[in-house]
């Protein structure tokens, strides 16, 4: 996919008129949403594989770790927008099949428990990636390239996946947490590129956390970029976020961020 095409695709993702790629996709396009069951350390998980079934060409797989609400209707819809005609996306389940938060309190408790246990969080992210790659026999997945993206809690999760040493071609964090108890692990990362898209006014990722992440990355030889969007706060890609000064959707910033991901994917995948 060309840089120009991907920029158009991701810039249109959240437009009121419809779903980015869907605006120009053939009428027969059919987005498949396939449950994918897997297990890790005795816990059952169920993610959702999302792709356009009208395209026969194998496409790069993308692991998507959603925000702290986990596998939800909104996350699955977002995966369909991102997949378009160019990727096969697995909405990762890192909480467990029986845990689907419906309130901020429930989501905070679920995300907080995993953030307090980074080895478990890394293990679950790795299990989700294994489940995605295992779909190559039944879905149009092109082997050899793989990306991981995440939003908010999910953004921090894919950075932990990189720190775990898992080989990845591209990692993209949208308004994710940047802190980690073991920053030295990033020096062992086997990632071909890291793109962090951050709201410069995000109160949940304060300057000290940003400075720590910059120091962490500077200690590596990775190909990495961090983009800070002026005046943007947390959750700037989430149309449902509306807590001014804290978590709030910003259409312009969201379009720019998705366009940057598209160009990054063009380069790495």
């Amino acid at each position: 996919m060309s840089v120009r095409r991907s920029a158009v695709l991701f810039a249109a993702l959240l437009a009121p008129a419809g779903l980015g790629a869907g605006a120009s996709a053939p009428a027969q396009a059919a987005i498949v949403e396939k449950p994918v069951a897997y297990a890790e350390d005795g816990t059952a998980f169920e993610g959702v594989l999302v792709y356009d079934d009208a395209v026969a060409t194998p496409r790069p797989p993308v692991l998507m770790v959603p925000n702290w609400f986990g596998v939800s209707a909104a996350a699955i819809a977002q995966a369909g927008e991102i997949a378009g005609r160019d990727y096969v996306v697995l909405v990762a389940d890192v909480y467990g099949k029986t845990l689907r938060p419906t309130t901020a309190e429930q989501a905070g408790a679920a995300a907080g428990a995993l953030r307090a246990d980074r080895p478990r969080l890394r293990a679950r992210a790795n299990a989700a990636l294994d489940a995605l790659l295992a779909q190559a026999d039944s879905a149009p997945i092109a082997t050899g390239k793989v990306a991981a993206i995440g939003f908010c809690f999910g953004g921090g999760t894919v950075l932990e996946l990189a720190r775990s040493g898992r080989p990845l071609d591209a990692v993209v964090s949208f308004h994710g947490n940047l802190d980690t108890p073991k920053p030295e692990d990033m020096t062992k990362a086997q990632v071909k590129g890291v793109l962090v898209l951050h709201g410069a006014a995000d109160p949940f990722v304060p300057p000290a956390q940003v400075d720590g992440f910059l120091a962490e990355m500077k200690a590596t030889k990775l190909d990495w970029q961090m983009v800070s969007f002026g005046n943007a706060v947390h959750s700037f890609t989430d149309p449902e976020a509306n807590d001014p000064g804290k978590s709030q959707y910003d259409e312009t910033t969201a379009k720019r961020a998705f366009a940057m991901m598209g160009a990054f994917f063009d380069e790495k995948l």
Side-chain angles (χ1 to χ4, degrees), residues 103-139:
T103 67
E105 291 74 19
Q106 293 172 353
L114 282 178
R115 281 181 49 77
D117 188 348
R118 300 301 173 92
R120 177 171 290 185
L121 179 60
R122 293 183 184 186
R124 291 184 174 186
N126 271 283
L129 183 54
D130 288 339
L132 168 60
L133 298 178
Q135 301 305 305
D137 292 336
S138 59

Side-chain angles (χ1 to χ4, degrees), residues 57-148:
T57 306
R59 286 146 277 169
V62 177
L63 181 73
M64 178 185 134
V65 185
N67 64 21
W68 65 353
F69 281 102
V71 179
S72 65
I76 295 168
Q78 183 180 49
E81 295 170 346
I82 291 170
R85 297 171 57 81
D86 299 285
Y87 308 104
V88 175
V89 178
L90 177 69
V91 181
D93 176 13
V94 295
Y95 291 156
K97 182 178 179 179
T98 62
L99 180 54
R100 296 289 187 264
T102 58
T103 67
E105 291 74 19
Q106 293 172 353
L114 282 178
R115 281 181 49 77
D117 188 348
R118 300 301 173 92
R120 177 171 290 185
L121 179 60
R122 293 183 184 186
R124 291 184 174 186
N126 271 283
L129 183 54
D130 288 339
L132 168 60
L133 298 178
Q135 301 305 305
D137 292 336
S138 59
I141 291 176
T143 58
K145 299 283 187 179
V146 62

Side-chain angles (χ1 to χ4, degrees), residues 28 31 100 117 142 183 221 229 257:
Q28 67 269 28
I31 296 296
R100 296 289 187 264
D117 188 348
K221 294 183 179 181
F229 296 102

Side-chain angles (χ1 to χ4, degrees), residues 196-201 227-233 236 252-253 256-257 260:
V196 171
L197 302 167
H198 168 67
V227 179
S228 292
F229 296 102
N231 304 313
V233 294
F236 57 77
T252 298
T253 300
R256 289 173 179 170
M260 288 178 184

Side-chain angles (χ1 to χ4, degrees), residues 3-269:
V3 171
R4 181 180 182 280
R5 184 186 184 288
S6 65
V8 172
L9 168 64
F10 292 107
L13 277 174
L14 301 178
L19 306 179
S24 59
Q28 67 269 28
I31 296 296
V32 171
E33 298 175 1
K34 172 187 171 185
V36 175
Y38 52 101
E40 196 280 322
D41 195 26
T43 299
F45 298 88
E46 186 174 274
V48 179
L49 194 70
V50 182
Y51 61 94
D52 186 343
D53 194 34
V55 180
T57 306
R59 286 146 277 169
V62 177
L63 181 73
M64 178 185 134
V65 185
N67 64 21
W68 65 353
F69 281 102
V71 179
S72 65
I76 295 168
Q78 183 180 49
E81 295 170 346
I82 291 170
R85 297 171 57 81
D86 299 285
Y87 308 104
V88 175
V89 178
L90 177 69
V91 181
D93 176 13
V94 295
Y95 291 156
K97 182 178 179 179
T98 62
L99 180 54
R100 296 289 187 264
T102 58
T103 67
E105 291 74 19
Q106 293 172 353
L114 282 178
R115 281 181 49 77
D117 188 348
R118 300 301 173 92
R120 177 171 290 185
L121 179 60
R122 293 183 184 186
R124 291 184 174 186
N126 271 283
L129 183 54
D130 288 339
L132 168 60
L133 298 178
Q135 301 305 305
D137 292 336
S138 59
I141 291 176
T143 58
K145 299 283 187 179
V146 62
I149 68 174
F151 299 85
C152 299
F153 162 73
T157 299
V158 296
L159 291 175
E160 289 295 345
L161 179 62
R163 295 178 184 113
S164 76
R166 185 68 179 260
L168 295 160
D169 292 280
V171 171
V172 183
S173 169
F174 291 85
H175 40 79
N177 300 96
L178 304 176
D179 62 310
T180 183
K182 298 187 69 177
E184 65 275 13
D185 284 355
M186 193 63 91
T187 62
K188 307 170 188 175
Q190 300 183 62
V191 182
K192 293 183 179 178
V194 176
L195 175 62
V196 171
L197 302 167
H198 168 67
D202 188 339
F204 301 109
V205 185
Q209 192 176 130
V210 173
D211 291 344
F213 178 73
L214 292 175
E216 175 187 359
M217 299 307 294
K218 289 176 181 178
T220 76
K221 294 183 179 181
L222 297 174
D223 176 6
W224 65 278
Q225 304 170 65
M226 181 172 182
V227 179
S228 292
F229 296 102
N231 304 313
V233 294
H234 204 59
S235 302
F236 57 77
T237 66
D238 184 352
E240 296 182 358
N242 188 26
D243 189 358
K246 295 182 179 180
S247 299
Q248 189 169 27
Y249 175 59
D250 185 311
E251 181 178 4
T252 298
T253 300
K255 288 180 177 179
R256 289 173 179 170
F258 281 117
M260 288 178 184
M261 182 182 77
F264 188 60
F265 277 4
D266 282 342
E267 178 185 335
K268 298 298 184 183
L269 299 181

